[in-house]
Amino acid sequence: MDVSLIPALPDTATAAAEVTTALKSLAAMDFTLPQDGAPVDLPGLGAPGVWVAAAGACDPADGVIVYAHGGSFTSRMPELIALYAHRLSSVTARPVFVSHYRLAPADPYPAPLDDVVGAYEGLLAAGVPAERVTLLGESSGGALVLSALLRLKSAGRQLPAAAITISPLTDFTLSGASIDAAGEQGVDRALLTRITDQYLAGAARDEAPQSPYHGELSDLPPLLMLAGGAEAFLDDTLRFAEAASTAGTKVSVDVYEALTHAFQITALTPESPTGERLLARLASWIDDRTAI
């Protein structure tokens, strides 16, 4: 696997504070989407979710992103994830389907996974070529993206061109040492145990596809896995990437120095060095694998 350490800009303390500031600013953020147009033909997918497309986005048949948001499998902020999807659409020139997968505890595993898989299969049924599709997920959504790849592979379905995860939980046994070493508030072992209990609802912690690290990881599409260097799920990314790479899957890992969980939220902060660099990386990597 290829592992890159992305140095903090302009220094570690400032970069870490940037994440904290971005999270605190959410309460006062304007989530109104720019009224800048959309492709004329956005297919219905038969799966819960919404389309978000910035001006200049291509037709889905030429390139599309399926986005699985974070939120501990239990919560969703529709306005926030729509704004984030708009930024993705703007920098990648692709429409984004935001999966509103069902949430635990009311709808535990496998319902959320069924909905993410359903969105992808809806695209195929609508005539979108698999080689034009990128799956992207953050945190719990990253787990769902990896689980979806394993489910699709097991079913013999054509896999998407590429997948991206940001700070995913990959091992539901919670055996990654960084969970305790990071000492992150809100991502501690006790809370993660409760969250994963709600999501799994009795499903095994050490079996795939619900716990992706324990799956058969060969023959997956190219993966870009991003994680913060100071976050609880760093080992979940590194251990999964190593296992997948050993199995023959091409994996690139970016570790963002000094950054904590949810660092991708900086993409919503105007003129954020971290956010701008993150978005540029996603756009470049997607372009290289699903060129329009």
Side-chain angles (χ1 to χ4, degrees):
M1 64 179 177
D2 298 324
V3 180
S4 300
L5 176 64
I6 311 301
L9 291 177
D11 54 65
T12 57
T14 303
E18 190 178 4
V19 180
T20 302
T21 299
L23 290 169
K24 289 181 177 178
S25 70
L26 292 180
M29 187 173 292
D30 180 6
F31 294 114
T32 304
L33 292 183
Q35 299 299 308
D36 55 5
V40 295
D41 187 19
L42 295 172
L45 302 186
V50 296
W51 282 103
V52 175
C58 66
D59 186 273
D62 294 322
V64 65
I65 298 169
V66 176
Y67 168 43
H69 64 84
S72 304
F73 302 105
T74 62
S75 65
R76 174 166 39 249
M77 296 178 63
E79 297 86 359
L80 171 65
I81 61 177
L83 184 60
Y84 190 78
H86 191 276
R87 292 300 310 275
L88 289 172
S89 178
S90 181
V91 299
T92 64
R94 290 162 173 79
V96 178
F97 184 79
V98 184
S99 174
H100 283 194
Y101 56 84
R102 285 167 287 177
L103 300 173
D107 291 296
Y109 175 83
L113 176 57
D114 291 343
D115 290 340
V116 174
V117 171
Y120 173 72
E121 293 194 320
L123 285 171
L124 299 187
V128 176
E131 58 268 24
R132 297 297 189 190
V133 181
T134 301
L135 302 188
L136 186 153
E138 62 199 22
S139 193
S140 53
L144 290 170
V145 161
L146 297 174
S147 293
L149 295 179
L150 295 176
R151 166 83 70 79
L152 291 164
K153 188 182 79 162
S154 177
R157 300 287 284 164
Q158 187 175 5
L159 297 178
I164 298 172
T165 63
I166 305 174
S167 306
L169 174 62
T170 66
D171 181 3
F172 281 72
T173 69
L174 305 181
S175 59
S178 58
I179 290 174
D180 298 312
E184 281 196 272
Q185 290 186 343
V187 203
D188 60 89
R189 181 171 297 277
L191 179 60
L192 291 174
T193 299
R194 291 196 300 273
I195 288 168
T196 52
D197 278 346
Q198 288 182 316
Y199 171 64
L200 292 172
R205 290 181 172 273
D206 61 351
E207 294 180 6
Q210 67 270 22
S211 189
Y213 175 72
H214 298 277
E216 206 291 303
L217 305 183
S218 64
D219 301 317
L220 298 180
L223 301 177
L224 174 62
M225 305 186 74
L226 297 84
E231 74 159 292
F233 290 161
L234 175 60
D235 282 350
D236 274 67
T237 283
L238 294 177
R239 292 169 66 226
F240 182 95
E242 182 177 9
S245 180
T246 299
T249 292
K250 185 172 179 57
V251 188
S252 298
V253 178
D254 289 357
V255 178
Y256 284 74
E257 182 185 19
L259 297 189
T260 51
H261 195 66
F263 68 92
Q264 74 279 354
I265 204 68
T266 56
L268 299 180
T269 304
E271 301 181 356
S272 160
T274 298
E276 293 301 322
R277 183 166 53 171
L278 172 64
L279 289 170
R281 171 61 164 155
L282 298 181
S284 174
W285 197 82
I286 291 171
D287 274 344
D288 286 346
R289 284 148 190 86
T290 62
I292 297 174

